[in-house]
Amino acid sequence: AHQMPGEFIVTFPAAFHAGFSHGINCTEAVNFASADWLPNGYEAVQRYRLFRREPVFSHEQLVLESLNTKLEPELYKLLLTELERILERERQFYEKSQICCGVTNRYKSEMVVLDNHHCKICNTQLYISAVTCKCSRGKGVCLEHTSQLCTCDKKHRSLVYRFQIQELETLLKSSTEFLSSLINQKQQQQEQQ
C-alpha cells in the first residue's frame, strides 16, 4: 500500500505488515485497538509465546488494570471474559507446576522481580507469576515452563507471584457483581427516560 498524508492504514490481527524506508524521511505510527481487539490480543500473546518473541506489553496487566477504570458495561464484559481466560490458564499451569515440578516455596511480590520480567524460555511477560531457582539469579520462567527452568533439586525453586489464584477468583467475582450493578443502573436510567 502507498500511504498518503491524512490516510490511515488498518492492520488486522495476525496480518503480516512491514515498513520500508529508502532515503531521508520522517515517519510516525500510532497503534490503538478497539475493545473487540481483546480476544485477538490474547491470541497474539499465545502466538508470540510459541515463537519465543518478546511482547510489547503485558496483556494480563492491561486486562487487570483496565478493570479498575470507569467503563461501559459492554467493554467490562469483554474484560471479564479475558480475566476468566487468564485465570483458567493460571490455574492449569499452577497445578501442573505443583504436581510435576514440586514448587512449594511461595513469595508475594508487588513486582515479579526478574531480569526484564520475561520467561527465559518463551519470552512471555511475567506479570502474574513466575518460578525461580536459587541458581537462576534473577531469571525465571512462566508456570508453563517450570520443568525447563533448571536441573537443580526441586526444593530450591520458588513461586513468585503478584496475584494468587484466590485473589484472581475474588477479583472475578467482585467484578462480575459490579458488572451486574452497572447493567441494572443502565436499565433503570433507560426506564426513567
Side-chain angles (χ1 to χ4, degrees), residues 1 7 28 34 36 60 62 71 74 89 116-117 126 138 148 157 168 173 178 181:
E7 291 181 345
E28 182 178 358
S34 58
D36 59 351
E60 289 88 358
L62 172 73
L71 302 167
E74 295 76 25
R89 182 175 178 79
N116 299 322
H117 314 294
L126 301 171
Q148 297 173 43
R157 294 182 182 164
L168 294 173
K173 184 178 183 224
F178 180 71
S181 72

Side-chain angles (χ1 to χ4, degrees), residues 77-188:
K77 202 178 294 185
L78 288 169
L79 287 168
L80 287 180
T81 301
E82 288 305 300
L83 178 56
E84 287 171 349
R85 193 184 319 213
I86 290 167
L87 178 57
E88 185 53 41
R89 182 175 178 79
E90 196 73 9
R91 263 194 210 117
Q92 174 189 354
F93 287 112
Y94 179 80
E95 289 171 13
K96 179 182 172 188
S97 72
Q98 298 299 307
I99 294 167
C100 79
C101 306
V103 177
T104 55
N105 301 318
R106 297 182 205 153
Y107 304 98
K108 183 164 178 75
S109 172
E110 280 306 307
M111 188 150 175
V112 179
V113 185
L114 302 165
D115 288 348
N116 299 322
H117 314 294
H118 292 94
C119 173
K120 75 177 203 172
I121 306 297
C122 69
N123 271 331
T124 196
Q125 290 194 355
L126 301 171
Y127 182 72
I128 296 177
S129 60
V131 175
T132 62
C133 180
K134 289 181 180 181
C135 76
S136 60
R137 304 254 188 259
K139 296 193 185 306
V141 293
C142 63
L143 296 182
E144 182 177 355
H145 294 112
T146 302
S147 63
Q148 297 173 43
L149 176 61
C150 63
T151 57
C152 294
D153 191 276
K154 297 172 184 181
K155 69 182 176 186
H156 297 296
R157 294 182 182 164
S158 299
L159 172 68
V160 182
Y161 60 88
R162 187 182 310 247
F163 301 104
Q164 289 186 20
I165 289 177
Q166 295 85 353
E167 291 175 290
L168 294 173
E169 290 169 340
T170 301
L171 176 62
L172 178 61
K173 184 178 183 224
S174 64
S175 297
T176 302
E177 290 168 358
F178 180 71
L179 175 61
S180 294
S181 72
L182 277 178
I183 291 170
N184 289 338
Q185 273 183 335
K186 199 169 186 177
Q187 286 174 345
Q188 287 174 357

